[in-house]
Structure formats: C-alpha cells, structure tokens
Amino acid sequence: MKKEKGAWWWRAVIYQKLSEYYRGNLDAGRQAIHHIAEFLPLSLAASSADRESMWDYNRLFVGPQRLLAPPIESCYRNEHKLVMQAETMAVRHAYASAGIELQTKNQEPDDHLCYELAFLSCLTETMAQEQPVEDSLLTALQTAYEDFLQEHLLAWIFDHLQDVSVCSESEFCRSVAAAAAAFFQSEKEALNHET
Amino acid sequence: MKLDTKPFSRRTFLKGSMAAAAALGIGSALSLTDSPFRKVGASPEQEVFHSACPRNCYDTCSLLSTVEDGVLKHVEGDPANTYTRGRLCAKGFSYTRSVYSPDRIKYPMKQTKRGSGKWERISWEEAYTIIAKKILDIKAEYGSTLPICLNKYSGNFNLLNYCVEGMMSSIGHTTRATGTPCWPAGIDAQTFDFGTIWNNDPEDMVNSKYLIIWGANPSWCSVHSMYLVMQAKKRGCKIVVIDPTLTQTASKADWYIQIKPSTDGALALGMARHILDRNLVDMAWLQEHAKGYEEFFAYVKNEITVEWAAEKTGVPADVIKTLAEEYASAKPASIWIGYGMQRHTNGGQNVRAIDALAAMTGNIGKSGGGAQYAQLQTWGIKYNAMTMKAPAGTATEKDRNININDFGREVLAQQEPPVRMLWIACRNPLTQDAEPQLVKKAFESMDLVVTADLFMTPTVAMSDIVLPVTTAFETMGLNVSYWHYWLALNEQAISPMYEAKSDLAIAMGLSAKLNELEPGSCTFPTAGSQEEWIAAEFTPAFMEQFGISGWEDLRKGPRKAVKGLIGWEDGKFKTPSGRYEFASETAKSEGHELLPVWTGEMQAPEGYPLRLMSPHWKLAINSQFQNLDWMQDINGEPFAEIHPDTAKQYGVENGDRIRLSNEQGEITLKARLTKAVAADTIVVYEMWLRDMAFNVNNTLKSIPADMGKKATGAPGIAFHDNFVTLAKA
C-alpha cells in the first residue's frame, strides 16, 4: 500500500463511522455509506433509518432474542459461538501488542465488531496524522493494521455481512451492509496487491 | 468433563511483526481520546474464587471458579464441601457456556407491543423511569399498589434475591403469586405429622441398613447423593427404588419395584398392615413419641389388606410383604420421599402414609433413619433484604395472595383492584405453569410486564421490558440447600457482562428512581455494598449454627452446620401435642383426614386414557440449561417415552412423531419406545429447548394437589395427573 495520507484519512473515517454504527448510532451507518461511496469510488444506495430499521438493527445485532447476525468475531469462529474464549483472547492479544486494551475490558467481548473497527480506525488515524510520522513507526502501524485485517476482521466480516443481507428486513441495514461489503472487499484486494 | 474450544489453525497468535510493533511502542503513538481504548494495564494473576450454584437443586454445590485476566475459565466442585466432594453435575460444568452465551440478554430493552418481536434498546435510567412512573400511576389511580403482581420463584436461590420480595414490599402492598409448584403437598403432610420438614443430613445416609428411594431420581436430580447411596450399599445397606418408571436410580438399586402412579399411599398402608401382622412395630417409641397410633392401627387392621394394596398398586402381595418385613426389621432404615411422588391429587395424603411407616418402626430421630423429604433448618437468616416496610401513607394493610399454581386464572379473576402490572423474576411462567394458554392471556391483559432474566424465554417474549441480570459469577451471594447442611458464600468472580445487574442492584436503582419522582414512595435502601447486604443477613444464632464468628469466615470456604444434623433427634416435635401425630387435628382443621388413610387417585377421564408424566430431565433444571450449546449437542429435541405394548396399540413405531392431546392443548414430538416406563403412562421430560415452541405443559390443567395451603399458602399442583390421548402425527 502506498503511504497516501489521503487514503489513510478516508479509511480512518470509514472505520470510525462503521464502529459508531455498530455501537448503536444508526445515522453513522448512513454517513459511512456516503464516505465509502466517495472513497472507492462506487455508486451506493443509501436510505434513512426509521423505526423499522431500528427494530431490524436490534434483531440483527442487539437482542434480546438470538441475534440474527451477531457482530462478534467469536460468534463466527468459535464452534459454539461462545464469547471470551480463545478467539476473543486472540483479539485481546492483538490490542495488547499495540499497547492498548478496552476500557470495558471483561464487560464486553474484545472482539465485538465496534471495537475491531475502532482499533483499525485508531491505527489508520495515527497513520493519517498531519505531522510527519517516523518511517519505522509507520511501518509498524501498517503492519499491525494489515495483520489485524488479515487474521481477524476479514476472516469473518463477509460471513457476517452475508447474514445481514439475508436476514435483514430493512433497506437501511441492508444498504449499510452492502456498502461495508464493498469497502472490505477493496481492503482485501489492497492487501493482496501488497503481498 | 472439560470441553475446550478447538484451536484455529488459520490464525497465529503472536506474529513476529506484532511483537515488533509492540517493541516499537505503537501504543504511545496512538491517540486514545474519544476511543473505547486505554493504555494496556497489568493482567491480574490467575485467581480462584469460591462460588456457589444457586439453582433449585438438592445439591447446591460449592464451586471453585478459575478466572484469568478477568475471564471465567472453568468451574469445578469444591472438595472442601464434603457433600460436593469436588464434583459437579453436567449442568454445573456447563456454567461457562451460559455466562458467555451469545444469546445472553445484554441491555434493558422495551418491546413496542408484547409478542411483536420489535424491541428497542433503552438505558437503565429509562427502564427505571418507565417502571417507576407506572407504579406511581397505578398508585394514584387505585389508591394502592395491589394491581402490581410479583411472580417469583426458584430460578435463583441466592438468599440475597429475596430482595425482590423486599422491593415489592417497599412500594406498598402488592399481589403475590403464593405457594410453590414443587413440593407443598409433602411439606404440609410432614407439617401435620412432625410439625415441619427436617431431614437427616444426607451424609448420614451411609449409616442406613435399608434405604427406600420412593418417587425420587437422585441419579439425575441429586447426583451427589448417589455417592452416599453407593457408600451405604457398600456398607451393606439394601437399596430399594419404588417408582412408576425404571429410572437411572432404579437401575442402580438392589431392588426395583414398579408402582402404579399415585398409589404410593396404598403401598405404604399395605406395608403397615403387614408390619402390624408380624408384630414389627416399635411400641416403645410410639408410646414415648407418638399420638394417635391406636386409631391408625385400628384403621389399618379394619380397612387395609395386603391383597387390596397389591391390587391397587400393581405391586404383588408377596413383594409388599417382603418389603415391609425387611424395612421394619432393618435397624435403622430410611425412606427418601421424592417430590415427584407428591405431584398428584392425593400426594400429600400419600406422604402421610409413608411418614407413618417410618414412625411406627421407630425410624424417626435416628442416624441412618428418617422420612427424608427436605429441611429449611439451614435457612434461618435474618431476611433483611426481604423485610421492608410499606411507605408512610400506605392505605392497605397486607399483600393479596394468589395461587402460583393457577396463575393465569387468578390474575384474570382479580377485582377491586384488578392486576395491571406484572414483575417476573427467577421464574418462567409461560413454560413452567399449567394452562400456559391461560397464562398467556393473563400476560396479554396487562398494562406493563417487566421480566428480569438471562435469556429470551417465552416469558420474556411476552414482556414489555426485559432487564438483563447477572449470573452467580458476576455478583455476590449466599447459598444454602434444602437437603444438605452446608452454607456457602458466593464471591463475585468476574465483572457483570454488558449492562447486566443483579436483582439487588435493580431493587436499589428502582427505589432511587421512585423516590426521585415521588419522595418517600419506596423504602428500599438505595445504597449499600454487597458485603454490607450479606453481613446484614447474619444473626448470632445463624452463625452459631455454622460455627463461625462472622460472615467473612466464609471467604475461606463453605461451612457445615455443627448441630441439628439428625431430624427430630431430641424427640421434640413441632406439632400441637409435641409428638409425632398419626392423628392430626391440624390436618382435620385444614379440611383433610385426621389419619393417614387411603385417598383414591385421580382416574383417567373419559377419552383420555393415557397418563402423561413430566419428570425432571438430567440436563436441565426446569427451564434452565437445556438451551445451552453443550446440552443441545447431546439432546436437541423433546421425546416421549412410551411402552412398546402401548405403542403397538396405537400403531406407533420408534421414532414416529406422535400427538398427545386433551381439551387443554397438545404437543407433538418423537416417540421413543422403552420398557422402562409402564404401559398407559407416557413420560416426557420437562425442558425448555432453544428455538422450539415445545411446552410439555400444553395439556396440563391446573389440578390442585390435596395439600400445600397450610405451610406454603396455596395447594400444590398435580403435574403428573395429566391425562391425554395419543395419535400419530
């Protein structure tokens, strides 16, 4: 990947907006679609969130019934979808290797999508900083970013987004998922070009 | 049993590059403002906590919980508790699967319309506000809080959970689902006979020479007792199991006796007749300790024959005679009276007859003896969390009690004032109650239904607000058993997950909101550490009973009662006469028979010739555990056990889907042919399965058991007097 500050800035914003979306801010999802459309670039359908979208969002990601598309890495990679097992701990280790941990550590699973996205936003935001970043640090950040994408996020996000597109009953949630899928596809391709 | 998650070979944990990144100090470069992250701190060492299983189970295990970096890694039995002996049942070992289940309810949520499936997330603040406003509106409209009804029972027996009753008392007087589905007929029976329930310490079972397990299945429901049963056997004790079904416990007995359901009293009376005939009565004990035995013996001699008992029970006459002689001759001999056995219309009276056997053979008040049912001797805490005063200005004088075993009907029937709001905690009425169809109607008629729970049960699905609660590992607690004599502190092992709160925290939070909206409207304390609440439950007498000088002693581990381990050893019965009462005026005043005479069993109604029994299942406790992944793996669907002769009669083969029905409702499930059940009796284990609308109670009418009102406030329910017809589905 080229050290394009522009691209890193875009990524940081997109990861940030998607993270906020998965933390319950539905409008951030709409904003994410706009940013993704501009960044890729790609023509993407966008709609507004209404009450129906909110109920749909909760059925998919929040509860109280069994989640249709649980936004947690362990739910896709642990045999019985149990959280706080080896899969969650692996993500915890990834954060720790970057010197950070969740403020809500042990109250919420480390591998909830909103946190994985926040982690990537944090890394990319640092890479996009105005003041010059040391080469070695930049390389380290980029490596951390690529490794996390490769070993964690990209390993399950497409299955998750597929579940959303199948189970969602609202245009809104489907449109965010479609935009996210396009974005992560592009992230995946960028990774592959690099290696 | 330890099932670890499989390692994923695709991923590597610590790549060289990650280590390099750490070495380069990425951490210091990252901006963490407005981020959910903070600098990584030190990971705590591995810690082991004392926990206790708060389920409605004889065994109330003491646990050791291993926590690493704040994550519960595994749960095992505490060897310091000589009843738990370091072992757990399958359910206990599965605790990590419920704490970290993806299905756990995480946040308070509000449903737009009950049953719609349209939920929105709300904050605790919003939840308390909605609930408090409704409580205050009800109070303003009706002049009392009686329209608010609590249905709470045994989902969580942490003694601090009596704070839920306390919370209700602290807002005024309310409607209470009173009584118990489990065991009330037997409790009343033993209340009439002895004055109260008081079994010997089960660890004393090893001293028996003869043990009859009558209508209980400890292999499934009290696994730790089975070690003691087997120890007794090793020491020469003969183990006899009396049950309509050849249970796992029966398979381990020396002698299994199959009996027609609901005729246990007849068997006991037949045995009594033979014991009298053979002069095996302990007259000395009776003269010193009993009242009314002359009348009882006259009844038995005049009205009961072994041949009559054989015909009634299906147990051959020579078996009855041998059983009676062996039981009466073995010194000491013990009878374990099961709760399943008394879930019939004549259940209480049957228990009285069995108690009579123990008394007439002098097996009461002795090590190795007993008419073992249950005890509440170890439950003598202060009930500080439960005992709250009504607020100043409360116009009513007392709570309104309705029968927990006829909940749907009684909720709908209440007038002046009607019931308008439900609070459900430690309970799942939509699966556990008789006539669930009527219970649902009751829910539908409410203004507001609040349910506190871990998982999306059918009860939660019919609620307006669900409040996520903590598991035992996420909060402190205090635990005892209704069988063994141990007391355990449940330490908090991990942080509450997501936004879960304990029922105690909920009570304090609601009180704060009520008082904010209307000062003085709730007397429940709004503050207090968990340790303070625990400490407030201890009395000098309670501490003396366990030989401790303070509750903190329990941090070192569970403690056993130091006295009162043999029921009625002092011969001082808690009856009006101070004696064991064969003739109980108290029973008579409650509308029952004076003596433990035979009371006929319910006959199968016209058109419904098959009895449907719904005993407890080995992988579940009522509606808990079966929904977890490990249990689903072992058994993913309900099944009906049916005798091959009966199956043939209906043209049913193994694996066929069958429909069991009556006017109340129906269930459809797979048939499993087995000779372990009696002909004309179908056994369907009660359980709540994930993803299934299956409810064994669909055909169950709310038929009361004969007793229960005296000691528990409402009659029990005849779960096993459920008659159906069968058709291939």
Side-chain angles (χ1 to χ4, degrees):
Chain A
M1 267 181 231
K2 300 224 169 94
K3 291 177 214 173
E4 282 176 4
K5 277 195 181 173
W8 293 122
W9 183 89
W10 276 108
R11 288 191 175 94
V13 169
I14 290 167
Y15 279 117
Q16 176 62 24
K17 287 299 163 193
L18 287 175
S19 173
E20 286 171 19
Y21 172 69
Y22 275 99
R23 241 188 296 180
N25 179 350
L26 268 64
D27 194 59
R30 186 190 57 77
Q31 295 172 48
I33 295 174
H34 282 295
H35 293 311
I36 292 168
E38 275 200 66
F39 173 63
L40 288 178
L42 189 64
S43 171
L44 287 166
S47 48
S48 327
D50 57 9
R51 300 264 297 164
E52 290 287 344
S53 332
M54 180 257 292
W55 293 323
D56 188 42
Y57 178 96
N58 287 336
R59 273 191 297 268
L60 291 165
F61 307 135
V62 179
Q65 82 306 326
R66 155 114 26 83
L67 305 183
L68 298 173
I72 305 175
E73 181 170 329
S74 332
C75 292
Y76 285 87
R77 307 186 78 188
N78 175 279
E79 188 189 346
H80 289 295
K81 306 187 185 201
L82 237 56
V83 302
M84 310 307 273
Q85 308 303 303
E87 297 77 12
T88 305
M89 294 304 111
V91 172
R92 179 175 292 191
H93 287 133
Y95 298 160
S97 298
I100 59 179
E101 66 183 18
L102 278 189
Q103 292 186 32
T104 52
K105 186 179 168 190
N106 292 320
Q107 286 168 242
E108 294 183 279
D110 308 61
D111 55 342
H112 191 288
L113 184 52
C114 74
Y115 297 131
E116 296 199 347
L117 294 165
F119 180 61
L120 290 164
S121 176
C122 196
L123 293 175
T124 51
E125 193 196 7
T126 311
M127 284 189 267
Q129 278 165 191
E130 286 290 318
Q131 65 261 53
V133 182
E134 254 196 66
D135 267 4
S136 57
L137 178 60
L138 204 57
T139 308
L141 287 165
Q142 185 164 327
T143 309
Y145 158 83
E146 287 172 7
D147 286 348
F148 193 81
L149 264 185
Q150 180 95 299
E151 289 168 16
H152 292 288
L153 189 60
L154 294 180
W156 68 280
I157 192 69
F158 297 107
D159 288 337
H160 166 75
L161 295 171
Q162 172 72 3
D163 281 347
V164 176
S165 74
V166 167
C167 302
S168 168
E169 286 173 16
S170 72
E171 278 278 4
F172 177 75
C173 293
R174 268 199 300 274
S175 66
V176 177
F183 172 66
F184 289 119
Q185 186 58 29
S186 127
E187 289 289 87
K188 185 175 176 195
E189 280 159 18
L191 262 190
N192 294 340
H193 281 141
E194 201 54 18
T195 50
Chain B
M1 175 173 88
K2 228 173 128 173
L3 277 170
D4 287 318
T5 49
K6 298 194 186 80
F8 273 72
S9 54
R10 277 182 295 162
R11 294 176 297 104
T12 55
F13 285 73
L14 282 171
K15 287 189 76 168
S17 54
M18 285 291 202
L24 282 169
I26 278 188
S28 46
L30 297 176
S31 164
L32 300 179
T33 354
D34 297 328
S35 117
F37 296 98
R38 63 183 177 215
K39 290 250 190 311
V40 68
S43 280
E45 303 262 320
Q46 188 192 79
E47 295 169 278
V48 178
F49 293 91
H50 291 108
S51 311
C53 181
R55 304 279 80 88
N56 180 359
C57 166
Y58 287 97
D59 292 6
T60 305
C61 291
S62 293
L63 315 172
L64 292 173
S65 304
T66 302
V67 175
E68 275 171 25
D69 200 17
V71 178
L72 181 68
K73 285 312 212 189
H74 68 264
V75 170
E76 59 198 283
D78 189 344
N81 179 327
T82 55
Y83 182 82
T84 306
R85 281 176 46 254
R87 286 159 167 76
L88 302 179
C89 70
K91 303 179 282 276
F93 283 124
S94 76
Y95 266 125
T96 45
R97 323 305 282 185
S98 59
V99 174
Y100 296 129
S101 167
D103 298 339
R104 251 187 92 173
I105 300 176
K106 306 172 180 63
Y107 313 106
M109 297 194 76
K110 177 162 130 32
Q111 195 167 191
T112 27
K113 190 172 168 291
R114 249 163 273 146
S116 67
K118 294 183 170 158
W119 292 86
E120 68 179 279
R121 187 177 157 179
I122 57 176
S123 65
W124 276 102
E125 179 72 16
E126 287 169 310
Y128 289 141
T129 303
I130 293 169
I131 296 168
K133 280 197 171 143
K134 185 63 189 171
I135 290 173
L136 295 172
D137 284 349
I138 283 177
K139 205 160 89 165
E141 184 179 347
Y142 292 94
S144 85
T145 47
L146 286 175
I148 300 165
C149 178
L150 172 67
N151 191 330
K152 171 183 180 268
Y153 192 50
S154 70
N156 187 328
F157 266 151
N158 173 0
L159 295 173
L160 288 184
N161 272 29
Y162 285 110
C163 66
V164 180
E165 285 89 338
M167 180 181 75
M168 285 290 133
S169 297
S170 71
I171 62 173
H173 297 109
T174 49
T175 303
R176 305 289 184 97
T178 302
T180 141
C182 297
W183 56 354
I187 294 183
D188 266 14
Q190 295 216 322
T191 301
F192 300 138
D193 295 335
F194 299 94
T196 189
I197 46 176
W198 190 357
N199 61 271
N200 289 9
D201 172 20
E203 292 174 74
D204 173 69
M205 242 189 286
V206 302
N207 299 319
S208 286
K209 287 283 168 278
Y210 205 84
L211 173 60
I212 301 176
I213 301 175
W214 202 320
N217 188 9
S219 278
W220 281 13
C221 302
S222 179
V223 300
H224 298 76
S225 286
M226 284 312 287
Y227 169 77
L228 298 161
V229 170
M230 291 298 127
Q231 284 299 107
K233 193 170 173 175
K234 273 196 191 126
R235 290 162 64 144
C237 179
K238 181 160 179 174
I239 312 294
V240 181
V241 170
I242 301 174
D243 203 302
T245 304
L246 203 167
T247 60
Q248 184 162 1
T249 307
S251 72
K252 295 179 195 297
D254 292 304
W255 197 9
Y256 165 58
I257 297 171
Q258 190 172 48
I259 188 172
K260 284 191 192 153
S262 199
T263 65
D264 309 87
L267 176 56
L269 290 168
M271 288 169 68
R273 173 63 200 257
H274 192 66
I275 290 170
L276 279 170
D277 288 348
R278 284 279 186 275
N279 251 324
L280 292 168
V281 175
D282 186 339
M283 283 307 295
W285 192 88
L286 291 173
Q287 275 153 10
E288 199 184 334
H289 294 293
K291 165 186 177 284
Y293 54 93
E294 303 97 337
E295 293 119 287
F296 177 60
F297 291 163
Y299 161 78
V300 173
K301 284 191 180 135
N302 291 331
E303 311 283 341
I304 304 294
T305 63
V306 173
E307 289 66 32
W308 166 85
E311 215 228 296
K312 205 79 212 132
T313 61
V315 179
D318 57 308
V319 170
I320 298 178
K321 287 177 180 171
T322 308
L323 177 63
E325 280 173 36
E326 289 184 355
Y327 170 72
S329 313
K331 299 289 178 203
S334 179
I335 304 177
W336 182 338
I337 301 169
Y339 308 138
M341 199 211 80
Q342 48 92 58
R343 291 182 184 134
H344 290 285
T345 53
N346 60 355
Q349 197 65 1
N350 289 345
V351 173
R352 287 207 69 197
I354 298 172
D355 284 349
L357 280 179
M360 67 195 275
T361 54
N363 277 305
I364 303 295
K366 296 191 162 71
S367 164
Q372 313 274 66
Y373 190 66
Q375 56 85 5
L376 291 173
Q377 301 291 109
T378 53
W379 293 64
I381 55 170
K382 197 152 182 225
Y383 292 98
N384 169 66
M386 182 163 113
T387 315
M388 299 287 156
K389 283 194 169 70
T394 298
T396 45
E397 280 175 13
K398 55 182 184 158
D399 292 329
R400 174 169 62 178
N401 293 330
I402 62 174
N403 182 356
I404 201 174
N405 292 319
D406 198 10
F407 185 64
R409 185 166 285 109
E410 296 218 355
V411 164
L412 290 166
Q414 297 313 302
Q415 307 272 24
E416 290 172 31
V419 175
R420 301 252 44 89
M421 173 177 162
L422 297 178
W423 188 291
I424 315 289
C426 312
R427 194 92 219 283
N428 188 0
L430 263 316
T431 63
Q432 299 309 108
D433 280 16
E435 303 187 37
Q437 303 88 344
L438 196 55
V439 175
K440 188 167 188 207
K441 274 208 174 78
F443 272 63
E444 281 164 352
S445 76
M446 293 296 110
D447 290 348
L448 183 70
V449 178
V450 180
T451 299
D453 212 315
L454 288 167
F455 294 105
M456 176 73 158
T457 63
T459 299
V460 171
M462 279 303 293
S463 303
D464 296 289
I465 294 185
V466 65
L467 302 175
V469 289
T470 46
T471 65
F473 304 92
E474 297 156 69
T475 189
M476 279 186 87
L478 201 58
N479 298 272
V480 287
S481 155
Y482 46 80
W483 185 240
H484 68 63
Y485 281 75
W486 289 82
L487 166 66
L489 177 70
N490 179 61
E491 297 183 294
Q492 183 172 342
I494 57 175
S495 303
M497 289 294 289
Y498 313 105
E499 292 189 4
K501 285 192 194 293
S502 66
D503 293 273
L504 179 58
I506 293 171
M508 292 196 281
L510 181 59
S511 181
K513 180 54 69 179
L514 278 164
N515 285 301
E516 180 197 308
L517 294 174
E518 188 183 294
S521 60
C522 182
T523 63
F524 201 92
T526 54
S529 68
Q530 294 185 92
E531 289 80 357
E532 285 166 342
W533 281 98
I534 296 229
E537 295 296 352
F538 282 68
T539 63
F542 188 67
M543 289 191 282
E544 200 202 309
Q545 183 180 13
F546 289 93
I548 56 180
S549 48
W551 73 270
E552 305 245 15
D553 286 357
L554 297 168
R555 283 199 195 278
K556 296 187 213 122
R559 296 291 286 264
K560 185 171 176 178
V562 301
K563 53 181 179 170
L565 299 175
I566 301 294
W568 312 112
E569 198 171 32
D570 59 5
K572 293 192 170 79
F573 297 93
K574 291 193 160 73
T575 52
S577 64
R579 290 174 166 247
Y580 177 92
E581 295 190 353
F582 288 87
S584 168
E585 295 293 337
T586 316
K588 192 136 182 256
S589 70
E590 291 287 318
H592 305 301
E593 295 282 347
L594 179 74
L595 299 169
V597 303
W598 168 245
T599 305
E601 76 277 30
M602 179 174 167
Q603 300 300 316
E606 183 86 41
Y608 304 113
L610 296 170
R611 180 189 297 269
L612 172 56
M613 294 185 71
S614 55
H616 285 231
W617 171 234
K618 65 182 171 185
L619 298 181
I621 285 207
N622 295 314
S623 59
Q624 298 190 62
F625 293 101
Q626 173 57 57
N627 57 310
L628 301 179
D629 56 353
W630 279 349
M631 308 320 193
Q632 292 285 136
D633 279 353
I634 297 169
N635 174 72
E637 62 174 326
F639 53 93
E641 289 186 340
I642 168 171
H643 194 280
D645 292 350
T646 310
K648 192 171 179 189
Q649 212 186 316
Y650 289 87
V652 171
E653 290 180 23
N654 199 41
D656 281 353
R657 285 189 73 72
I658 58 173
R659 182 180 306 111
L660 303 172
S661 63
N662 59 22
E663 320 97 7
Q664 184 63 32
E666 61 176 60
I667 52 173
T668 305
L669 69 179
K670 240 187 201 170
R672 202 182 272 186
L673 272 52
T674 169
K675 285 184 183 167
V677 303
D680 299 342
T681 297
I682 301 188
V683 172
V684 176
Y685 300 105
E686 55 120 13
M687 61 181 82
W688 172 56
L689 296 121
R690 218 166 58 181
D691 302 332
M692 273 189 205
F694 171 75
N695 185 351
V696 70
N697 290 327
N698 279 351
T699 61
L700 180 67
K701 296 202 212 93
S702 181
I703 299 169
D706 50 353
M707 297 181 185
K709 198 163 201 300
K710 168 84 183 149
T712 77
I717 174 164
F719 277 112
H720 301 317
D721 288 338
N722 181 3
F723 294 96
V724 296
T725 185
L726 185 158
K728 282 180 77 163

